[in-house]
Structures are given as C-alpha cells and as structure tokens.
Amino acid sequence: DVVMTQSPLSLPVTLGQPASISCRSSQSLVYSDANTYLTWFQQRPGQSPRRLIYKVSDRDSGVPDRFSGSGSGTDFTLKISRVEAEDVGVYYCMQGTFWPYTFGQGTKLEIK
Amino acid sequence: EVQLLDSGGGWVQPGGSLRLSCAASGFTFSSYAMGWVRQAPGKGLEWVSVVSTSGVYTYYPDSMKGRFTISRDNSENTLDLQMHSLRVEDTAVYHCVKGSGGNVRVPDYWGQGTLVTVSS
C-alpha cells in the first residue's frame, strides 16, 4: 500500500500567523490519466471530515482562499496564510491514485 | 443539499455480524461511486470499501476481503455495508463517503458516521 507521511503531527500556531503541513507519499501519485489524486481534508472536533483541496491544488467551493495546496509527484503541502480560530482541528492528506486509497496520520492544528 | 445519513452501528461480540446503512439525498445517487471509510477511536482514517455507480464493481483492502460486503440500491438511494466475523480491531466510526463522479478517487461528502463497537 502507498504510505502517506505527514509532518508535523502537531502544529501549534499563533492566530494570524501562517501554517504549513507536509505530506509525502511512498510513490508518485500521478495517475495514468495524468491527474494527481491528492486530497486534503479538515476534521474539526466532533465533526466528519470536510474536503478542502483536491487534485493537489483545486480549492473547494466555500473554502476560504487562505487555504492553498501545492506539490507534485511525491511531495505535497497544505498552507494556511493566516490561521483563524475556526481552523483548529486535524488535517489529513489522502491519495486516490492507488487502491487501497490511503490517508496520512493526520496533523493536529491548535492555537498557541 | 447533499446529505448522507449513516445508521446501523452498535455493540457486537467478536465473530458477530452487523449491517450498516447510508441514506443519501440531495444528488443523483446512481451517478456517483460510493464508499465506506472508518476511523478507530483516537486514530486515523482507513478505507473500507468502494462500489461503482451500478453496483457491479466492488473494491476492498486485503484485510477486509471476504468479511465485508458493500452494496447499493439505486432505486432507494441507499448504500449498505454487511460485516461478518467482526474483530476487536474493527471497532471504529464508519462513514459513508460520496465520490466526485464515477469513482471515489476524490471523495467530496461524508456522512456523520455510525459507531461500531466489537467487544466481549
């Protein structure tokens, strides 16, 4: 199975400051159709995961533009330009290129 | 508005069986692949199964093959997961997940989840 490795696993951030989460895959996530199926989810406390970013950098409707995704091949990043209180939660990357699809371990973002 | 309502969870002894259901609304159910993802208490996320739009094609991780069966009823807009030979390590919240089209490579909506507890 493809292993997804996130870092850091814990991310204390001051309100208004930027945050960055790394996600690395054990093999390239480029699919035969030339798409890269790397998705980012946010899970707020007590809620189900919510999709933020898909295909590396496409932001979902309704997701604030302070969230952005980048990367290619095996190396991906989720960035929050200015952290707000509502961003507290756990962030997961997921690969949808190889079955079984797999998730990173999760990064817990908290406010300092 | 897309809604996925998960149900059927509960307590079961090791070796037992349980059937989970997901009632979908707010979209054309038959046009989207669907799946189940689980989350063990305090742990990360794990794919359990995927079913194609027609229900003909199903996919499972090796660890769940032969024990879990996913199915769908496109006339009733429901997704089911039949689980047999349950193990303590199957204890988790199970979420129904909607694909973005004919596959779930990029899942978009999740159900609220239903808790399955396997314990003696």
Side-chain angles (χ1 to χ4, degrees):
Chain A
D1 297 358
V2 175
V3 177
M4 304 296 288
T5 304
Q6 287 183 230
S7 63
L9 299 185
S10 178
L11 184 56
V13 184
T14 301
L15 286 173
Q17 292 301 301
S20 181
I21 301 170
S22 169
C23 175
R24 291 199 166 111
S25 57
S26 58
Q27 53 188 289
S28 173
L29 299 185
V30 180
Y31 188 55
S32 54
D33 63 5
N35 285 310
T36 299
Y37 293 103
L38 188 284
T39 305
W40 288 97
F41 295 95
Q42 173 197 61
Q43 187 172 30
R44 289 172 170 151
Q47 295 186 14
S48 298
R50 166 202 182 195
R51 195 177 74 180
L52 299 175
I53 304 282
Y54 59 98
K55 288 195 282 184
V56 181
S57 58
D58 290 341
R59 192 169 47 245
D60 268 279
S61 170
V63 173
D65 60 8
R66 63 177 183 276
F67 288 92
S68 64
S70 63
S72 63
T74 62
D75 223 321
F76 306 94
T77 302
L78 176 70
K79 289 183 179 171
I80 309 173
S81 58
R82 295 173 308 280
V83 169
E84 298 190 6
E86 65 178 19
D87 300 336
V88 165
V90 181
Y91 292 80
Y92 295 93
C93 60
M94 186 209 104
Q95 66 83 16
T97 298
F98 300 100
W99 180 257
Y101 306 145
T102 47
F103 294 88
Q105 318 96 300
T107 295
K108 187 172 185 177
L109 186 150
E110 60 180 27
I111 305 300
K112 260 191 218 175
Chain B
E1 180 196 0
V2 171
Q3 287 201 356
L4 300 170
L5 294 179
D6 302 323
S7 62
W11 174 82
V12 61
Q13 290 186 327
S17 300
L18 210 56
R19 189 178 186 90
L20 308 183
S21 289
C22 169
S25 61
F27 63 102
T28 305
F29 183 71
S30 58
S31 296
Y32 294 89
M34 300 290 295
W36 290 94
V37 173
R38 70 184 183 184
Q39 186 168 28
K43 300 284 181 67
L45 299 161
E46 180 182 30
W47 278 93
V48 172
S49 186
V50 169
V51 63
S52 63
T53 53
S54 64
V56 169
Y57 301 101
T58 58
Y59 305 89
Y60 308 90
D62 287 345
S63 60
M64 294 166 212
K65 274 181 190 170
R67 298 193 302 125
F68 292 3
T69 303
I70 190 172
S71 61
R72 65 189 296 162
D73 185 335
N74 286 342
S75 66
E76 296 287 332
N77 292 350
T78 56
L79 176 74
D80 286 346
L81 183 70
Q82 178 68 56
M83 303 185 292
H84 295 295
S85 304
L86 283 163
R87 306 166 180 166
V88 171
E89 54 267 33
D90 293 321
T91 294
V93 174
Y94 286 71
H95 296 272
C96 165
V97 177
K98 172 185 169 291
S100 295
N103 61 66
V104 286
R105 296 183 183 282
V106 190
D108 50 14
Y109 290 93
W110 296 58
Q112 86 287 359
T114 185
L115 175 61
V116 172
T117 303
V118 185
S119 170
S120 54

